Amino acid sequence: MTHRILFVCLGNICRSPAAEGVFRARAPHHSTDSAGTSDWHIGDPPYRPMQTAARSRGIDLSDLRARQFVAEDFNRFDLIIGMDAKNIARIEELRPLGNDTPVRLLTDFAPHAGADHVPDPYYTRDFDGALDLIEAAVEGLDAHLRG
Ligand code: 4NP
């Protein structure tokens, strides 16, 4: 079964494009996108250090471009996945009345990783640590979608 999955972070240049790239490489039969809650980087490619870190794992992010999360995304996707609690709060502010699309934390799908959010590598500079967590959670997400 094909699912429509949207990954969301703040800038849409580090964590959510990385999650999108890892997920589409692993599960290309799904429809995948990513977005940012801010408008800060609209049209930008993923942040260069994240592209480099992903590339070294065989994940190409170069075709991705940042866009802002919009209320219509609640109708366009089956599952919306945020990277931290603040992302989730901003997403929920835009939920249309009566819409029941699930919004989850990416780390919900990696319970054994012991993290309650994906720390922002734009600030921590730990791009590999973010990718480790994203890869573990995407594996769990893939298993979840397979039922
Ligand atoms: P992201 O990281 O939310 O994982 O894309 C960030 C990228 C840029 C900024 C903040 C977070 N910024 O302040 O420009």
Side-chain angles (χ1 to χ4, degrees), residues 8-17 36 38 40-41 47 50 83-84 87 119-123:
V8 179
C9 62
L10 175 59
N12 194 209
I13 58 169
C14 289
R15 294 165 295 172
S16 62
S38 77
W40 301 340
H41 294 282
Y47 192 46
M50 179 54 95
M83 301 296 136
D84 61 38
N87 301 154
D120 194 336
Y122 191 78
Y123 302 115

Side-chain angles (χ1 to χ4, degrees), residues 81-104:
I81 300 178
M83 301 296 136
D84 61 38
K86 194 156 187 182
N87 301 154
I88 303 284
R90 297 295 304 272
I91 291 165
E92 290 290 357
E93 285 171 10
L94 295 178
R95 182 186 290 277
L97 208 61
N99 176 280
D100 62 0
T101 303
V103 176
R104 304 279 301 274

Side-chain angles (χ1 to χ4, degrees), residues 43-136:
D44 290 355
Y47 192 46
R48 180 61 64 180
M50 179 54 95
Q51 283 200 53
T52 302
R55 183 67 232 150
S56 74
R57 299 176 186 221
I59 305 292
D60 181 10
L61 305 180
S62 64
D63 62 311
L64 301 177
R65 295 295 179 270
R67 72 169 177 89
Q68 189 168 22
F69 180 83
V70 292
E72 287 75 19
D73 286 320
F74 279 98
N75 300 315
R76 295 185 187 134
F77 294 91
D78 307 312
L79 174 60
I80 298 170
I81 300 178
M83 301 296 136
D84 61 38
K86 194 156 187 182
N87 301 154
I88 303 284
R90 297 295 304 272
I91 291 165
E92 290 290 357
E93 285 171 10
L94 295 178
R95 182 186 290 277
L97 208 61
N99 176 280
D100 62 0
T101 303
V103 176
R104 304 279 301 274
L105 279 168
L106 183 63
T107 47
D108 287 351
F109 299 100
H112 302 296
D116 65 359
H117 70 292
V118 182
D120 194 336
Y122 191 78
Y123 302 115
T124 69
R125 313 310 292 174
D126 185 6
F127 297 94
D128 274 305
L131 281 169
D132 286 343
L133 192 48
I134 287 166
E135 286 189 326

